[in-house]
Amino acid sequence: MQGQSQQQAYDRGITIFSPDGRLYQVEYAREAVKRGTASIGVRTSDGVVLAVDKRIRSPLMERSSVEKIHKADDHIGIASAGHVADARQLIDFARRQAQVNQLRYGEPIGVETLTKAVTDHIQQYTQVGGARPFGVALIIGGIANGEPRLYETDPSGTPYEWKALAVGADRGDIREYLEENYSEEMDLDGGVGLALEALASVNDGELAPEGIGIATISVEDELFTEMSDAEKESHLDELGLLASDEDEADDADEETEE
């Protein structure tokens, strides 16, 4: 009984380390991320690809209201997995940082600079009493000095740089697929294909254009561009991943976090 009460005490206090050096509330926030639908980032020689699973709970919901890919600046995009409300707060913070940098220094903010500003903000919520960690992970991708960059933010406030990554549900399976099929020489279209194939690998091999989101930031124009449903359908059809109407109806019955 005494051991149980001590465990509960560590659970309640975000600022209290357990005897083995763990912050349980941060670990619980990571579990919240795992309950969100998957998001994928792929860095290629030509730019960055962001892909997300936008499965919704009901056919009555407007698909356009499910936002998992966001434009932070002209040259930076963000994909999220976990609690949608937490993601929205962090993305608003990232956008303000980008605007402040542009006004203060007269130049676009660097991808690494923005990522570390966001993770510094996240980290503050792991050491202040009366608050809780953000239950969301972000993939931040963009172009800096003509080079594609891709980062992940963790609920602990730690930034990681990746060549390709996944956050959210089925992260392990998707990462395994990316590790087996990723190539640093692939172009932007190849990156889009890899991201879609990785998503399809945990969705019965098929995807509906309305149920996913794809955005790219290319080295050539350094602009965030989100694909239309017609463009997504074209890519899926070319890859042989286009779902039938019956499959789309089945997806509406599944309930997940975003």
Side-chain angles (χ1 to χ4, degrees), residues 91 137 149:
I91 287 157
R149 307 292 294 273

Side-chain angles (χ1 to χ4, degrees), residues 113-237:
T113 302
L114 179 62
T115 301
K116 289 186 175 179
V118 171
T119 51
D120 285 348
H121 182 65
I122 293 171
Q123 194 275 336
Q124 291 177 19
Y125 284 79
T126 69
Q127 63 178 33
V128 177
R132 66 162 176 79
F134 288 93
V136 66
L138 304 179
I139 299 175
I140 303 177
I143 308 299
N145 300 319
E147 294 291 331
R149 307 292 294 273
L150 186 66
Y151 291 89
E152 173 194 7
T153 74
D154 179 79
S156 68
T158 306
Y160 303 96
E161 186 168 10
W162 294 83
K163 297 175 182 176
L165 79 151
V167 294
D170 302 308
R171 170 178 179 160
D173 293 336
I174 296 174
R175 183 187 294 180
E176 185 177 338
Y177 186 92
L178 293 171
E179 288 174 352
E180 291 175 357
N181 296 278
Y182 176 79
S183 169
E184 293 188 32
E185 286 74 34
M186 67 174 53
D187 59 12
L188 204 56
D189 281 342
V192 171
L194 176 62
L196 291 174
E197 288 167 350
L199 268 182
S201 70
V202 294
N203 283 281
D204 300 322
E206 294 183 329
L207 297 169
E210 301 85 0
I212 59 173
I214 296 279
T216 60
I217 310 101
S218 73
V219 170
E220 184 177 355
D221 58 17
E222 299 191 7
L223 291 177
F224 173 91
T225 306
E226 196 161 0
M227 284 190 185
S228 65
D229 284 349
E231 290 173 313
K232 289 181 284 187
E233 184 173 356
S234 175
H235 278 283
L236 290 171
D237 189 36

Side-chain angles (χ1 to χ4, degrees), residues 9-30:
Y10 299 128
D11 282 359
R12 285 195 297 267
I14 181 59
T15 60
I16 302 174
F17 284 97
S18 70
D20 55 350
R22 298 159 64 186
L23 290 173
Y24 286 111
Q25 292 296 323
V26 172
E27 295 187 16
Y28 299 155
R30 292 195 180 109

Side-chain angles (χ1 to χ4, degrees), residues 27-93:
E27 295 187 16
Y28 299 155
R30 292 195 180 109
E31 292 301 314
V33 172
K34 293 178 183 178
R35 293 177 61 85
T37 52
S39 294
I40 296 173
V42 178
R43 190 182 78 191
T44 74
S45 58
D46 294 338
V48 174
V49 178
L50 300 176
V52 299
D53 186 341
K54 294 174 61 175
R55 249 175 296 166
I56 61 173
R57 300 185 181 94
S58 167
L60 300 177
M61 184 182 290
E62 285 287 352
R63 290 185 181 272
S64 60
S65 68
V66 181
E67 293 184 302
K68 290 198 59 179
I69 292 183
H70 308 261
K71 177 181 177 180
D73 203 346
D74 288 339
H75 64 302
I76 299 176
I78 299 176
S80 65
H83 285 287
V84 178
D86 288 9
R88 188 171 62 246
Q89 290 296 312
L90 290 179
I91 287 157
D92 285 347
F93 175 82

